[in-house]
């Protein structure tokens, strides 16, 4: 409570139009109605509902702090209501896909939905960028966040702005062990890279500025396959980044997306593919259920109100990145079901391929 404001981005895939293509407009409509009511009741200050492909994204501001049962309950109830009122009657594909728990128990973490939330002291001007991706996993942000907060070739401010001169601290989660480690850059840059190169296991969860511990970024870390013990869809992560005034500028925050990189996900969550930055109108996956896509929305937070969005990738400058991503897509698809197009066995072990391998197990012989 108090003057602090909490920005919560909570998302789930609760069924979609045309396979895993896109959220249905009626799902957005029902979600908006529910959040509008919560705004009128004073539970939240403001909201913005949007989609990343087939994932429904609820961006909310409020004064309840992180992990608030009321806010998480509102998100859970919204996803449930959208499932019951729209996904099921319209027989949308994979209705309720990410709602892995039977009933809500106080916090959506571990129940399927992805969460990125930060409680902050609002600055004189508070520009933020929220990212939401479809057809990939939380480790997709590793390269992006490293470039934004630790790479002077990407972020000129690391060299030019003394407020960033002491660097940033990264909290990394080992999603297999459920443990965290804090590493400081630039001093521990190489140690950080030694971990976050393994994107399926080590995932950046939040980032602070070293000079004053100012919270700069948070990302979702949910891995659905680890919760469910089977493949249920990709996690399709979200991330919130604060910008300017001694933090990376909006343009530095967007810069890593200009040169697309390969991420895990795409068709059946089992392939490597380029992460393609798109505007909201292109936030829908098609070719081979992809390529994996990311939207970036800019807001000014003003007394908790969300002024915006600016649809940041809906810009001709990113046409070039989209063309590059499509060339990368074309090249890696030449490999079909052969690695590195297809993911390694430690990722595929959550898919149906284990049944095939099990069937063949006894047919191996020594020559
Ligand atoms: P099904 O068509 O069997 O649901 O699986 C394919 C898919 O899209 C994986 O989620
Ligand atoms: P989502 O994780 O976006 O539902 O996609 C699942 C899938 O299997 C696509 O081929
Ligand atoms: Mg889906
Ligand atoms: Mg999705």
């Amino acid at each position: 409570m108090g003057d602090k404001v909490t920005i919560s981005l909570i998302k789930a895939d609760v069924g979609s139009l045309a396979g895993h293509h896109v959220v249905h407009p009626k799902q957005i409509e029902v979600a908006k109605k529910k959040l509008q009511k919560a705004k009128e009741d004073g539970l939240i200050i403001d909201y913005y509902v949007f989609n990343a492909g087939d994932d429904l994204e609820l961006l909310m501001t409020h004064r309840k702090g992180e992990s608030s049962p009321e806010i998480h309950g509102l998100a859970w109830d919204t996803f449930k209501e959208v499932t019951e009122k729209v996904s099921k009657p319209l027989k949308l594909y994979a209705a309720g896909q990410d709602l892995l728990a039977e009933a809500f128990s106080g916090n959506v973490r571990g129940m399927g939905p992805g969460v990125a939330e930060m409680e902050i002291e609002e600055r004189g001007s508070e520009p933020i960028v929220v990212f939401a991706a479809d057809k990939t996993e939380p480790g997709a942000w590793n390269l992006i966040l490293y470039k934004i907060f630790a790479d002077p070739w990407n972020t000129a401010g690391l060299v030019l702005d003394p407020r960033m001169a002491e660097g940033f601290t990264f909290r990394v989660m080992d999603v297999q062990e459920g443990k965290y480690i804090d590493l400081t850059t630039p001093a521990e840059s190489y140690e950080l890279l030694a971990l976050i190169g393994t994107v399926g296991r080590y995932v950046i969860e939040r980032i602070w500025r070293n000079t004053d511990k100012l919270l700069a970024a948070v990302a979702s870390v949910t891995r659905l396959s680890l919760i469910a013990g089977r493949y249920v869809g990709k996690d399709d992560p979200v991330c919130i980044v604060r910008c300017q005034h001694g933090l990376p500028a909006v343009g530095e925050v967007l810069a890593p997306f200009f040169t697309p990189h390969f991420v895990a996900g795409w068709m059946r969550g089992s392939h490597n593919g380029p992460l393609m930055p798109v505007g909201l109108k292109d936030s829908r996956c098609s070719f081979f259920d992809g390529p994996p896509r990311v939207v970036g929305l800019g807001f000014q937070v003003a007394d908790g109100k969300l002024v915006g969005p600016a649809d940041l990738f809906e810009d001709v400058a990113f046409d070039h990145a989209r063309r590059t991503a499509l060339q990368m897509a074309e090249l890696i698809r030449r490999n079909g079901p052969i690695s590195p197009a297809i993911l390694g066995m430690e990722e595929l072990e959550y898919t149906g391929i284990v049944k095939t391998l099990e069937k063949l197990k006894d047919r191996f012989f020594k020559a």
Side-chain angles (χ1 to χ4, degrees):
M1 298 293 269
D3 284 325
K4 287 188 169 178
V5 61
T6 304
I7 308 162
S8 299
L9 178 50
I10 308 186
K11 49 82 47 184
D13 177 341
V14 291
S16 43
L17 173 66
H20 296 284
H21 178 62
V22 75
V23 167
H24 191 285
K26 276 204 171 131
Q27 294 176 299
I28 303 243
E29 196 182 299
V30 169
K32 273 186 186 165
K33 223 177 249 175
K34 184 94 179 159
L35 297 193
Q36 179 60 30
K37 172 86 171 47
K39 182 174 168 176
E40 283 160 17
D41 292 346
L43 176 58
I44 56 176
I45 304 170
D46 210 353
Y47 67 90
Y48 186 72
V49 178
F50 64 103
N51 78 297
D54 64 354
D55 290 81
L56 182 60
E57 314 278 340
L58 312 177
L59 177 65
M60 299 170 283
T61 52
H62 55 90
R63 302 215 187 270
K64 307 280 177 185
E66 294 178 26
S67 294
S68 155
E70 286 170 280
I71 300 300
H72 283 226
L74 171 64
W76 182 263
D77 291 346
T78 304
F79 294 136
K80 276 282 181 199
E81 203 169 307
V82 171
T83 304
E84 295 306 320
K85 283 193 175 161
V86 188
S87 313
K88 285 185 179 171
L90 298 187
K91 291 177 107 181
L92 294 182
Y93 196 68
Q97 171 175 287
D98 291 355
L99 307 181
L100 300 178
E102 284 297 312
F104 180 65
S105 62
N107 191 313
V108 294
R109 278 181 210 277
M111 298 174 70
V115 185
E117 50 184 357
M118 51 161 69
E119 186 180 42
I120 59 166
E121 201 93 59
E122 206 178 283
R123 296 170 296 164
S125 178
E126 188 62 66
I128 61 164
V129 178
V130 305
F131 293 110
D134 187 31
K135 305 293 182 275
T136 187
E137 60 180 22
W141 302 137
N142 283 3
L143 178 147
I144 300 290
L145 290 170
Y146 182 89
K147 277 190 163 179
I148 296 172
F149 289 99
D151 179 5
W153 265 255
N154 181 86
T155 299
L158 292 168
V159 178
L160 299 178
D161 186 337
R163 290 170 293 186
M164 281 191 256
E166 287 178 41
F168 291 86
T169 295
F170 291 68
R171 176 159 295 173
V172 174
M173 184 181 187
D174 175 343
V175 292
Q176 273 170 24
E177 297 290 326
K179 287 181 176 168
Y180 297 87
I181 183 170
D182 292 343
L183 290 165
T184 288
T185 59
E188 296 178 306
S189 302
Y190 298 162
E191 287 87 343
L192 176 62
L193 287 170
L195 293 181
I196 64 171
T198 304
V199 289
R201 176 156 188 182
Y202 300 104
V203 178
I204 297 168
E205 198 263 336
R206 55 185 62 211
I207 298 168
W208 297 271
R209 182 167 64 189
N210 287 337
T211 40
D212 53 1
K213 302 280 169 273
L214 184 100
L215 184 57
V218 291
S220 61
V221 292
T222 306
R223 298 245 18 220
L224 289 165
S225 56
L226 298 179
I227 297 171
R230 66 189 158 83
Y231 176 69
V232 281
K234 256 335 191 212
D235 324 293
D236 301 337
V238 289
C239 178
I240 308 172
V241 182
R242 297 170 84 184
C243 313
Q244 310 284 160
H245 307 298
L247 291 175
V250 169
E252 291 167 335
V253 169
L254 302 181
F257 296 95
F258 192 68
T259 48
H261 71 300
F262 286 106
V263 298
W266 209 350
M267 175 56 72
R268 295 169 190 269
S270 304
H271 295 82
N272 284 310
L275 184 62
M276 185 166 81
V278 292
L280 282 173
K281 75 171 173 43
D282 296 310
S283 184
R284 53 202 157 84
C285 289
S286 57
F287 166 55
F288 203 56
D289 283 3
R293 283 167 208 227
V294 55
V295 293
L297 302 181
F299 294 90
Q300 292 292 143
V301 184
D303 300 317
K305 295 235 165 54
L306 290 164
V307 180
D311 191 355
L312 296 164
F313 292 135
E314 183 54 60
D315 180 81
V316 288
F318 283 95
D319 286 348
H320 180 70
R322 289 187 270 276
R323 268 193 300 272
T324 306
L326 292 174
Q327 277 168 353
M328 292 162 75
E330 199 260 310
L331 291 179
I332 199 158
R333 286 312 310 138
R334 294 178 187 202
N335 263 45
I338 307 295
S339 64
I342 201 155
L343 299 184
M345 206 41 83
E346 69 286 358
E347 297 294 331
L348 296 181
E349 70 185 3
Y350 295 99
T351 72
I353 204 169
V354 278
K355 290 208 176 91
T356 305
L357 297 182
E358 186 61 29
K359 202 175 72 184
L360 298 178
K361 200 177 72 192
D362 297 329
R363 287 180 49 191
F364 280 92
F365 57 89
K366 283 197 170 142

